[in-house]
Amino acid sequence: MSENNKLSPGQDGQSLTQLTAEVRDLRRESTDLREKVEARLYDTRPIWERVLAELTALREDFNNFHTETNKNLKLMNHQLEILNNDFMKIRAELRDLDDRVTRLEPPSA
């Protein structure tokens, strides 16, 4: 069995040559794959940059919209408070007028 594990002088060099060729092939394939990945990244990079720019613009627009909406809601709330106060004053004045008219009219029999 020990004889089968021993390499003849010619086989050792041949195995090393084959191994070296395999390593070269793997490196070449790795380089080719890396180049393909870089090319794909180059193709998609402008798309992603545009998408990120649009997302940034949308976020800014949304923040502006949110700020403006909050400002408008506060203004409307304030205006509704004023309107409510005015309405309550009108109702109070109407009640006073109704009381005055009731006092001026003779009781109907």
Side-chain angles (χ1 to χ4, degrees), residues 49-61:
E49 289 172 355
R50 190 172 65 241
V51 166
L52 288 175
E54 288 178 15
L55 282 173
T56 301
L58 281 173
R59 183 174 288 128
E60 184 177 329
D61 289 347

Side-chain angles (χ1 to χ4, degrees), residues 21-85:
E22 288 293 324
V23 169
R24 278 190 202 127
D25 288 343
L26 286 173
R27 283 186 180 164
R28 187 176 315 115
E29 288 176 13
S30 173
T31 301
D32 291 345
L33 183 60
R34 188 177 305 120
E35 288 172 358
K36 286 180 184 178
V37 168
E38 287 294 323
R40 293 285 171 96
L41 285 176
Y42 180 76
D43 289 343
T44 59
R45 194 170 287 137
I47 295 169
W48 278 111
E49 289 172 355
R50 190 172 65 241
V51 166
L52 288 175
E54 288 178 15
L55 282 173
T56 301
L58 281 173
R59 183 174 288 128
E60 184 177 329
D61 289 347
F62 176 77
N63 287 337
N64 291 339
F65 173 76
H66 185 264
T67 301
E68 189 70 24
T69 301
N70 281 341
K71 186 175 88 175
N72 288 336
L73 286 173
K74 286 178 185 177
L75 178 62
M76 285 177 56
N77 191 29
H78 182 67
Q79 290 170 339
L80 282 173
E81 284 179 27
I82 292 170
L83 184 62
N84 186 47
N85 290 338

